[in-house]
Amino acid sequence: MGGLALQAHLSKNGNGNDSKKLNKIFALTGLNVKDGTQTLTTQLVKKRNYEWGTEYRYRIPLGRSFEDYVSKQKSIEAGINTRTVKLQLGDLKQMKLDRNIIQSIRGLYKRKLTERKEIELSYDGMLIIRVYDEPMPTLVEMFEGKGWSVPIGIMREKNTTIFHDFERIPHFVLGGATRYGKSNLINGIIASLIKQKPNHVKLHLVDLKGGVELCDYENIKQTVSIAYEPEEAREVLENAYNEMRKMQQRVRNLGKKNVREAGIPERHFIIIDEVGELNPEEAVDKKDIKKDGIVIQKSEKTIKEECQKYMSQISRLGAGLGFRLILATQYGTGDIIPRQCKQNSDAKLCFRVQSSTASRVVLDGEGAEKLPEIKGRAIYQTADKKIIVQTPLITSEIIHSIIDPHIKEVKPVETTKQAPRSNAIIIKKTGLS
Ligand SMILES: Nc1ncnc2c1ncn2[C@@H]1O[C@H](COP(=O)(O)OP(=O)(O)OP(=O)(O)O)[C@@H](O)[C@H]1O
């Protein structure tokens, strides 16, 4: 016991004694700047301990930018985490002096060896480095939404719950590499909306992942239409667009400017899981088939262009009319998300992606490529904040407990003009007024 206590580096300062280490990391990773014989260093201006860890504020030397530090984020985090195990006085005080003491010390030693600190960088004229003593939880259970506000996750500080309020920010873009949690989040959003607003939520669903993700909602009363194939997605979007036009007329007839003023409680959610499949540039078949100058069969390109046109219109006009777009993609290149939709989406959420380019496609900025490889970890960004969240995991038991009471008897469905295929679209014309 005595030997171990001697070996331990007892820190007088408690948390937050990483500043020396940080200075060393800056020097070793080339972040200091040589100016003749002088070396300009990153100067610590302020250090503050919090219950979650420590915040350091630095003045960046001339010739360096915030991006230089961001590009070294991994090295900084690795450097902070290379350590000899430090047992602090507090750790030892918490131990019971009984016959299991050796086992307890071993456990503590192991825990200390594997525990990881996480860092976050930001800039407000000063470089801010936050060193979190403990990593964020990797699993968050689904929690309750509030009206049109749906659960997005918890943020690190004090495990605060974060919601996305569709009344405040109507359109939402989400992205991330495959298997990091997009579909799970979409399911969470849909389940929350159905639970909170069963009589007023209207769903227009496009699942271009072969129907595996959204088929659970096919027969519930809240689903207006659902499609599993790109060509039929056009009909879902056209249908939603027409509903939006009707709503516009209805609001106008009431002499009001928007659904809120008009006291109309319905809200329509057009949710597209894998919007990249609707990219006209990726279409294989690009030529319409014409007879006597009249198009008798539209090409895949034309169909996808029409889909994009409807999406853009809904994003442009839908906000005040209670129409919300949720677009998800895993692709990280080019104009996957129609430009107008992205411009009109003030909320973006991005799970981990492979490159800074992919991060820019969703967030218009870097960062998502630096997220740890943890399922459900994401950056949630609105006009006034950019935070890291751990999104809640929703189980199929929870989904079914919410949607099963709303399953309705399957009526004969109207299919498209084309012969139905094995998993053909189901457009349910529910005669919304
Ligand atoms: N918030 C979360 N917390 C913990 N695990 C999660 C979370 N979200 C998803 N996962 C896990 O990751 C797996 C993949 O999630 P999901 O299907 O949502 O990914 P995706 O991004 O939609 O992938 P793809 O684009 O390939 O469909 C899930 O089966 C689940 O086990």
Side-chain angles (χ1 to χ4, degrees):
M1 171 75 190
L4 257 166
L6 268 178
Q7 253 191 359
H9 302 260
L10 302 179
S11 159
K12 285 190 200 117
N13 302 336
N15 290 343
N17 50 359
D18 287 316
S19 52
K20 273 193 197 150
K21 230 181 209 180
L22 282 165
N23 280 342
K24 189 136 198 195
I25 298 166
F26 295 150
L28 292 175
T29 52
L31 287 164
N32 292 342
V33 182
K34 276 255 177 246
D35 182 16
T37 52
Q38 256 192 322
T39 303
L40 307 179
T41 58
T42 315
Q43 281 179 0
L44 181 64
V45 177
K46 205 171 172 188
K47 173 185 141 191
R48 223 173 133 180
N49 286 340
Y50 290 90
E51 60 199 63
W52 44 261
T54 312
E55 184 181 278
Y56 301 88
R57 296 177 78 85
Y58 288 94
R59 190 170 298 120
I60 292 178
L62 268 181
R64 286 279 167 257
S65 67
F66 172 58
E67 281 67 33
D68 293 331
Y69 290 83
V70 173
S71 70
K72 302 286 183 201
Q73 180 161 350
K74 279 199 170 155
S75 310
I76 298 172
E77 193 164 284
I80 290 280
N81 281 301
T82 48
R83 68 199 115 123
T84 50
V85 176
K86 287 187 181 180
L87 297 183
Q88 296 181 349
L89 200 51
D91 297 327
L92 298 175
K93 271 185 192 161
Q94 281 168 15
M95 271 182 203
K96 271 196 207 151
L97 284 170
D98 58 15
R99 60 195 171 91
N100 295 326
I101 183 75
I102 298 294
Q103 232 171 334
S104 309
I105 292 173
R106 273 202 200 120
L108 174 67
Y109 194 80
K110 198 170 165 199
R111 188 160 52 80
K112 286 260 166 188
L113 202 65
T114 50
E115 80 186 5
R116 270 193 74 77
K117 293 183 179 183
E118 281 182 4
I119 65 161
E120 221 174 80
L121 304 183
S122 57
Y123 184 74
D124 67 352
M126 291 268 172
L127 167 69
I128 302 164
I129 301 186
R130 288 177 158 201
V131 179
Y132 294 94
D133 290 336
E134 285 176 23
M136 278 179 87
T138 50
L139 194 68
V140 171
E141 282 178 14
M142 188 63 189
F143 51 94
E144 194 90 347
K146 305 172 189 166
W148 296 113
S149 288
V150 297
I152 287 297
I154 66 149
M155 63 186 270
R156 197 192 302 266
E157 281 171 48
K158 295 182 189 155
N159 287 351
T160 320
T161 46
I162 303 293
F163 295 86
H164 174 80
D165 181 0
F166 280 104
E167 289 298 86
R168 207 169 64 83
I169 308 177
H171 307 309
F172 193 12
V173 164
L174 61 113
T178 176
R179 310 310 289 156
Y180 275 103
K182 292 181 300 299
S183 302
N184 171 74
L185 183 65
I186 292 177
N187 278 304
I189 291 174
I190 297 176
S192 174
L193 293 170
I194 294 173
K195 182 155 188 207
Q196 300 297 320
K197 296 281 185 182
N199 299 323
H200 299 130
V201 63
K202 309 286 171 199
L203 302 170
H204 306 256
L205 305 174
V206 177
D207 178 354
L208 299 173
K209 287 180 173 171
V212 285
E213 301 295 349
L214 303 181
C215 60
D216 284 346
Y217 310 104
E218 200 175 288
N219 292 316
I220 56 170
K221 69 173 189 199
Q222 290 83 1
T223 302
V224 179
S225 59
I226 183 162
Y228 302 122
E229 299 287 334
E231 40 299 19
E232 288 116 354
R234 199 199 75 92
E235 298 196 28
V236 167
L237 290 168
E238 185 185 23
N239 188 38
Y241 174 78
N242 290 337
E243 292 294 338
M244 184 181 76
R245 285 297 193 190
K246 277 191 225 161
M247 185 66 85
Q248 195 173 33
Q249 198 56 49
R250 191 171 154 197
V251 169
R252 211 177 279 156
N253 291 346
L254 290 166
K256 304 289 179 194
K257 287 204 189 79
N258 54 50
V259 279
R260 269 217 224 182
E261 270 188 22
I264 296 171
E266 278 165 27
R267 298 291 182 268
H268 291 250
F269 288 79
I270 296 97
I271 302 175
I272 306 180
D273 197 359
E274 204 33 83
V275 68
E277 297 291 337
L278 299 180
N279 182 9
E281 299 312 313
E282 298 287 317
V284 184
D285 150 36
K286 292 188 164 58
K287 279 213 166 114
D288 295 336
I289 299 174
K290 291 183 184 171
K291 201 176 170 191
D292 304 328
I294 296 166
V295 177
I296 52 165
Q297 196 180 326
K298 288 177 184 170
S299 68
E300 191 187 331
K301 185 165 191 260
T302 306
I303 289 168
K304 290 184 175 179
E305 276 167 357
E306 289 181 6
C307 287
Q308 299 231 333
K309 187 188 76 189
Y310 289 127
M311 283 189 264
S312 298
Q313 293 282 34
I314 294 169
S315 78
R316 199 167 62 81
L317 301 172
L321 300 170
F323 282 68
R324 283 80 178 91
L325 263 184
I326 302 176
L327 305 180
T329 185
Q330 72 176 58
Y331 297 117
T333 50
D335 267 349
I336 288 296
I337 306 159
R339 197 164 298 159
Q340 206 166 45
C341 297
K342 216 167 119 189
Q343 275 165 5
N344 287 314
S345 299
D346 276 342
K348 289 152 185 134
L349 183 138
C350 194
F351 294 94
R352 193 184 146 79
V353 286
Q354 306 297 351
S355 65
S356 52
T357 317
S359 176
R360 269 193 294 271
V361 167
V362 183
L363 299 175
D364 288 327
E366 298 183 3
E369 76 284 6
K370 298 214 169 58
L371 286 169
E373 289 172 25
I374 295 170
K375 288 176 191 290
R377 186 66 53 89
I379 294 177
Y380 173 62
Q381 181 179 303
T382 58
D384 56 352
K385 59 176 178 274
K386 183 174 181 178
I387 45 177
I388 296 179
V389 292
Q390 179 68 28
T391 56
L393 180 65
I394 188 161
T395 59
S396 38
E397 288 76 39
I398 299 179
I399 296 176
H400 281 283
S401 71
I402 294 171
I403 66 173
D404 285 357
H406 302 293
I407 292 178
K408 58 181 189 180
E409 255 178 68
V410 185
K411 291 183 205 147
V413 292
E414 277 182 49
T415 56
T416 55
K417 287 144 223 142
Q418 293 147 10
R421 291 184 306 263
S422 54
N423 58 352
I425 185 189
I426 298 166
I427 299 254
K428 298 195 279 181
K429 311 273 188 200
T430 52
L432 288 172
S433 59

